[in-house]
PDB file of all heavy atoms in Angstrom:
ATOM      1  N   GLY A 152     -13.995  10.775   6.902  1.00  0.00           N
ATOM      2  CA  GLY A 152     -13.271  12.014   6.667  1.00  0.00           C
ATOM      3  C   GLY A 152     -11.766  11.917   6.756  1.00  0.00           C
ATOM      4  O   GLY A 152     -11.075  12.937   6.680  1.00  0.00           O
ATOM      5  N   ALA A 153     -11.220  10.710   6.883  1.00  0.00           N
ATOM      6  CA  ALA A 153      -9.768  10.541   6.893  1.00  0.00           C
ATOM      7  C   ALA A 153      -9.235  10.689   5.469  1.00  0.00           C
ATOM      8  O   ALA A 153      -9.845  10.209   4.512  1.00  0.00           O
ATOM      9  CB  ALA A 153      -9.390   9.177   7.439  1.00  0.00           C
ATOM     10  N   GLN A 154      -8.110  11.375   5.313  1.00  0.00           N
ATOM     11  CA  GLN A 154      -7.494  11.525   3.992  1.00  0.00           C
ATOM     12  C   GLN A 154      -6.509  10.377   3.781  1.00  0.00           C
ATOM     13  O   GLN A 154      -5.515  10.264   4.488  1.00  0.00           O
ATOM     14  CB  GLN A 154      -6.769  12.861   3.850  1.00  0.00           C
ATOM     15  CG  GLN A 154      -6.099  13.032   2.489  1.00  0.00           C
ATOM     16  CD  GLN A 154      -5.492  14.401   2.283  1.00  0.00           C
ATOM     17  OE1 GLN A 154      -6.027  15.398   2.764  1.00  0.00           O
ATOM     18  NE2 GLN A 154      -4.374  14.465   1.574  1.00  0.00           N
ATOM     19  N   VAL A 155      -6.796   9.543   2.800  1.00  0.00           N
ATOM     20  CA  VAL A 155      -5.961   8.374   2.506  1.00  0.00           C
ATOM     21  C   VAL A 155      -5.221   8.626   1.207  1.00  0.00           C
ATOM     22  O   VAL A 155      -5.815   8.651   0.130  1.00  0.00           O
ATOM     23  CB  VAL A 155      -6.813   7.101   2.404  1.00  0.00           C
ATOM     24  CG1 VAL A 155      -5.921   5.894   2.146  1.00  0.00           C
ATOM     25  CG2 VAL A 155      -7.648   6.895   3.662  1.00  0.00           C
ATOM     26  N   ASP A 156      -3.902   8.841   1.312  1.00  0.00           N
ATOM     27  CA  ASP A 156      -3.050   9.012   0.136  1.00  0.00           C
ATOM     28  C   ASP A 156      -2.426   7.676  -0.239  1.00  0.00           C
ATOM     29  O   ASP A 156      -1.968   6.933   0.641  1.00  0.00           O
ATOM     30  CB  ASP A 156      -1.905   9.979   0.438  1.00  0.00           C
ATOM     31  CG  ASP A 156      -2.353  11.389   0.734  1.00  0.00           C
ATOM     32  OD1 ASP A 156      -2.838  11.652   1.863  1.00  0.00           O
ATOM     33  OD2 ASP A 156      -2.209  12.239  -0.152  1.00  0.00           O
ATOM     34  N   ILE A 157      -2.376   7.374  -1.536  1.00  0.00           N
ATOM     35  CA  ILE A 157      -1.551   6.261  -1.993  1.00  0.00           C
ATOM     36  C   ILE A 157      -0.655   6.752  -3.130  1.00  0.00           C
ATOM     37  O   ILE A 157      -1.007   7.679  -3.862  1.00  0.00           O
ATOM     38  CB  ILE A 157      -2.369   5.024  -2.441  1.00  0.00           C
ATOM     39  CG1 ILE A 157      -3.120   5.282  -3.746  1.00  0.00           C
ATOM     40  CG2 ILE A 157      -3.299   4.562  -1.349  1.00  0.00           C
ATOM     41  CD1 ILE A 157      -3.684   4.003  -4.371  1.00  0.00           C
ATOM     42  N   TRP A 158       0.499   6.141  -3.253  1.00  0.00           N
ATOM     43  CA  TRP A 158       1.416   6.442  -4.358  1.00  0.00           C
ATOM     44  C   TRP A 158       2.305   5.230  -4.581  1.00  0.00           C
ATOM     45  O   TRP A 158       2.626   4.483  -3.648  1.00  0.00           O
ATOM     46  CB  TRP A 158       2.239   7.707  -4.071  1.00  0.00           C
ATOM     47  CG  TRP A 158       3.215   7.639  -2.931  1.00  0.00           C
ATOM     48  CD1 TRP A 158       4.565   7.448  -2.994  1.00  0.00           C
ATOM     49  CD2 TRP A 158       2.916   7.785  -1.521  1.00  0.00           C
ATOM     50  NE1 TRP A 158       5.124   7.457  -1.740  1.00  0.00           N
ATOM     51  CE2 TRP A 158       4.138   7.665  -0.829  1.00  0.00           C
ATOM     52  CE3 TRP A 158       1.737   7.991  -0.799  1.00  0.00           C
ATOM     53  CZ2 TRP A 158       4.212   7.748   0.569  1.00  0.00           C
ATOM     54  CZ3 TRP A 158       1.812   8.070   0.585  1.00  0.00           C
ATOM     55  CH2 TRP A 158       3.028   7.965   1.250  1.00  0.00           C
ATOM     56  N   HIS A 159       2.681   5.023  -5.827  1.00  0.00           N
ATOM     57  CA  HIS A 159       3.563   3.892  -6.151  1.00  0.00           C
ATOM     58  C   HIS A 159       4.192   4.094  -7.512  1.00  0.00           C
ATOM     59  O   HIS A 159       3.779   4.966  -8.294  1.00  0.00           O
ATOM     60  CB  HIS A 159       2.797   2.563  -6.080  1.00  0.00           C
ATOM     61  CG  HIS A 159       1.655   2.421  -7.032  1.00  0.00           C
ATOM     62  ND1 HIS A 159       1.825   2.050  -8.349  1.00  0.00           N
ATOM     63  CD2 HIS A 159       0.317   2.579  -6.858  1.00  0.00           C
ATOM     64  CE1 HIS A 159       0.644   1.975  -8.942  1.00  0.00           C
ATOM     65  NE2 HIS A 159      -0.289   2.304  -8.057  1.00  0.00           N
ATOM     66  N   CYS A 160       5.181   3.286  -7.804  1.00  0.00           N
ATOM     67  CA  CYS A 160       5.870   3.384  -9.090  1.00  0.00           C
ATOM     68  C   CYS A 160       5.043   2.734 -10.193  1.00  0.00           C
ATOM     69  O   CYS A 160       4.081   2.001  -9.933  1.00  0.00           O
ATOM     70  CB  CYS A 160       7.257   2.745  -9.004  1.00  0.00           C
ATOM     71  SG  CYS A 160       7.261   0.947  -8.782  1.00  0.00           S
ATOM     72  N   ASN A 161       5.428   2.996 -11.449  1.00  0.00           N
ATOM     73  CA  ASN A 161       4.753   2.367 -12.571  1.00  0.00           C
ATOM     74  C   ASN A 161       5.352   0.990 -12.851  1.00  0.00           C
ATOM     75  O   ASN A 161       6.176   0.490 -12.073  1.00  0.00           O
ATOM     76  CB  ASN A 161       4.781   3.273 -13.808  1.00  0.00           C
ATOM     77  CG  ASN A 161       6.197   3.516 -14.335  1.00  0.00           C
ATOM     78  OD1 ASN A 161       7.161   2.868 -13.929  1.00  0.00           O
ATOM     79  ND2 ASN A 161       6.312   4.463 -15.254  1.00  0.00           N
ATOM     80  N   ALA A 162       4.946   0.363 -13.930  1.00  0.00           N
ATOM     81  CA  ALA A 162       5.394  -0.999 -14.224  1.00  0.00           C
ATOM     82  C   ALA A 162       6.890  -1.080 -14.474  1.00  0.00           C
ATOM     83  O   ALA A 162       7.493  -2.153 -14.333  1.00  0.00           O
ATOM     84  CB  ALA A 162       4.634  -1.549 -15.441  1.00  0.00           C
ATOM     85  N   GLU A 163       7.505   0.051 -14.825  1.00  0.00           N
ATOM     86  CA  GLU A 163       8.956   0.081 -15.061  1.00  0.00           C
ATOM     87  C   GLU A 163       9.746   0.480 -13.824  1.00  0.00           C
ATOM     88  O   GLU A 163      10.964   0.604 -13.873  1.00  0.00           O
ATOM     89  CB  GLU A 163       9.274   1.045 -16.216  1.00  0.00           C
ATOM     90  CG  GLU A 163       8.868   0.536 -17.589  1.00  0.00           C
ATOM     91  CD  GLU A 163       7.368   0.612 -17.817  1.00  0.00           C
ATOM     92  OE1 GLU A 163       6.752   1.614 -17.378  1.00  0.00           O
ATOM     93  OE2 GLU A 163       6.809  -0.328 -18.407  1.00  0.00           O
ATOM     94  N   GLY A 164       9.049   0.727 -12.702  1.00  0.00           N
ATOM     95  CA  GLY A 164       9.735   1.059 -11.468  1.00  0.00           C
ATOM     96  C   GLY A 164      10.020   2.539 -11.285  1.00  0.00           C
ATOM     97  O   GLY A 164      10.889   2.909 -10.487  1.00  0.00           O
TER      98      GLY A 164
END
Side-chain angles (χ1 to χ4, degrees):
Q154 179 174 325
V155 182
D156 295 77
I157 70 167
W158 66 101
H159 62 82
C160 68
N161 64 11
E163 288 75 39

